[in-house]
Amino acid sequence: MARYAVIDYSLSSVSLLVAEQGMNGGLESIFKSHRIIRVPDYLSDGRLEGKGLEKLLKESVFLLNMASQLKPDTTFAISSTLLKGIANADEVALRIKERTGLDVLHMEGKDEAYAAFVANERYKNLERAVLIDIGGSSTEICDFRSSDRDGMVSIDIGASQIERMFIKDLYPTGEEGKRIRRYLKEKIDEETKYLPQNYDNAVLSGSNCQALYSIYADYYDIPDGDEMLMQTGKLEKLISTLMEKKKRTRLIVKTVPEKVNLLIPTAICLKLILKRFGIENMTVSTFGVKEGALKLLIAGRMRNKGEEDVKDGC
C-alpha cells in the first residue's frame, strides 16, 4: 500500500498526518501529531521573523523527521491558514523550502472549504446537512447537497482573527463579547445569504470544533468512544458557562489547554452559525482539511502555486 504524509501550517500549530492508501483508493490515517506555536504571538507588523520563524522551522524539521520514520512514499506540505495570515508569506514559504525541501501549497479559502468537503463526503447522506469548519483565519461552510463550489462559502474571519481584533486579555469581557457577536452576525448573514435558509444537521470539522467537543463531552460526562454528537441547546448552556469568569479557566485548561485562547471565539462563532440556519443537531468529524487536501494532492487535483489549480470542475 502507498503511504503518504502531509504537514499542515496553521496560525496555531504545525501538524502532521501520515496515511496509507488502500486498493480501493481510500485513505486510512496511521499517525497524527502536532506542535503548538501560536504564530500571532510572534508577529511584528504582521511579519513572522526572528524567534517565531525559527521556532516554526524547528518544529517543521521535527515533524518531518517524525514522518520519515514511517517511510512515506511522498510528503506534502500545505498552509491552511499560516501563509494567508502573515505579511511575509513568500519569504516564510521560501525558508520552509530551504530547511525541509518541501514546497508549501498555499490554500485559499475556497480550497480549504473544498478539501474539508472532500474529507467528509461520507456524511453526504445526512438529511439536509451542512459542513462547518471554524479555522484560525477563515470559516468554511459547505452545503452537502451541492456538488460544486457554489454551495461552499469561505468567510474571511476565524478564531485567531477574532482574538486579535477584539480580545485584549486571554478571555473576552462582556462588552468584547457583544462586539464580537455583532460583527460576526453581520459577516455570517452577508456571506451565507445565497445558501439555503435551514438545515437539519451540521457536521463540524477542524481542530477548533473538535476541541469544543472535548469540553462538551467533559462537561456532560460523555464516555470516550461514544459517537461525537452535540445538541444546540446543551452547547448554548456550555457557552454560557464558558463566559463566566469563575468557571471557564479550569474547564478549558484541564481539557484543551492548547486552545485556551481560541475556544470562546470558536464557540461564539459556531453559536451564531447554528442560529442562522436553525440547526439543532451536530456530528463532530475527525476528518478535516489535511485529509481532504491529501486526497486531492494524491489524485493530482490540487497543485502548488504556478501549476494548475484543482481540476475537478468545481
Side-chain angles (χ1 to χ4, degrees):
M1 289 188 293
R3 182 173 290 184
Y4 300 92
V6 58
I7 294 175
D8 178 23
Y9 294 89
S10 76
L11 287 171
S12 61
S13 67
V14 181
S15 58
L16 167 69
L17 167 68
V18 181
E20 287 185 342
Q21 186 176 40
M23 296 296 293
N24 63 354
L27 286 174
E28 180 182 355
S29 172
I30 61 173
F31 183 77
K32 288 184 178 182
S33 184
H34 71 280
R35 307 288 288 183
I36 301 299
I37 295 181
R38 283 180 51 83
V39 167
D41 290 348
Y42 295 98
L43 295 182
S44 176
D45 295 325
R47 297 174 62 84
L48 180 63
E49 299 173 321
K51 182 178 179 181
L53 177 56
E54 187 56 38
K55 181 174 177 62
L56 179 79
L57 297 173
K58 179 180 178 181
E59 300 297 9
S60 300
V61 172
F62 178 87
L63 289 181
L64 186 62
N65 289 338
M66 187 175 288
S68 68
Q69 296 179 33
L70 296 169
K71 296 180 171 56
D73 297 286
T74 307
T75 299
F76 301 100
I78 63 173
S79 167
S80 55
T81 59
L82 174 67
L83 296 184
K84 64 185 178 185
I86 58 177
N88 58 330
D90 291 342
E91 177 188 343
V92 171
L94 179 61
R95 291 294 304 278
I96 293 172
K97 168 77 171 179
E98 291 173 348
R99 190 70 67 90
T100 67
L102 299 174
D103 288 306
V104 182
L105 172 66
H106 183 175
M107 300 181 70
E108 301 293 345
K110 280 293 184 78
D111 297 327
E112 286 187 63
Y114 188 63
F117 179 86
V118 168
N120 288 284
E121 285 182 309
R122 68 196 66 204
Y123 294 106
K124 287 180 68 173
N125 292 331
L126 281 177
E127 188 172 353
R128 289 176 13 118
V130 64
L131 176 70
I132 302 170
D133 185 343
I134 302 170
S137 60
S138 65
T139 295
E140 279 65 56
I141 302 175
C142 305
D143 186 340
F144 276 113
R145 291 170 292 187
S146 176
S147 59
D148 60 36
R149 293 194 174 200
D150 289 338
M152 301 176 189
V153 170
S154 180
I155 305 173
D156 62 347
I157 189 70
S160 293
Q161 284 181 315
I162 294 169
E163 179 199 21
R164 295 199 304 274
M165 290 170 62
F166 295 99
I167 303 173
K168 292 182 179 180
D169 205 344
L170 188 59
Y171 302 115
T173 64
E175 184 57 37
E176 287 172 341
K178 290 178 183 178
R179 290 201 296 271
I180 292 169
R181 287 189 289 272
R182 285 195 298 266
Y183 176 80
L184 287 179
K185 184 179 186 304
E186 182 176 339
K187 289 280 288 186
I188 292 166
D189 288 349
E190 174 62 25
E191 296 289 344
T192 63
K193 62 185 178 184
Y194 296 115
L195 291 179
Q197 296 298 302
N198 297 99
Y199 293 94
D200 294 330
N201 296 282
V203 177
L204 308 183
S205 177
S207 62
N208 289 335
C209 286
Q210 290 166 7
L212 186 58
Y213 174 78
S214 296
I215 292 184
Y216 180 95
D218 180 74
Y219 189 74
Y220 289 108
D221 295 320
I222 299 173
D224 291 342
D226 281 15
E227 190 174 1
M228 296 193 295
L229 304 175
M230 292 197 292
Q231 295 178 343
T232 297
K234 288 186 174 182
L235 178 62
E236 289 178 348
K237 180 182 177 182
L238 171 61
I239 292 172
S240 296
T241 301
L242 291 175
M243 296 302 294
E244 296 181 26
K245 293 181 180 180
K246 294 182 179 180
K247 297 181 179 180
R248 60 190 173 199
T249 297
R250 182 175 182 275
L251 185 59
I252 295 173
V253 171
K254 77 171 182 175
T255 310
V256 283
E258 71 277 12
K259 296 288 186 178
V260 66
N261 60 315
L262 302 180
L263 247 296
I264 294 179
T266 298
I268 293 173
C269 186
L270 178 59
K271 180 179 176 179
L272 289 169
I273 295 172
L274 297 174
K275 184 176 181 180
R276 158 73 177 83
F277 294 117
I279 297 168
E280 295 295 333
N281 301 299
M282 292 158 277
T283 299
V284 183
S285 171
T286 58
F287 305 98
V289 171
K290 282 194 298 294
E291 286 82 0
L294 185 55
K295 284 186 177 182
L296 293 168
L297 286 163
I298 292 170
R301 294 161 62 193
M302 185 173 282
R303 300 284 194 265
N304 279 307
K305 185 184 293 186
E307 299 179 304
E308 293 184 39
D309 293 328
V310 173
K311 297 168 61 178
D312 51 25
C314 294

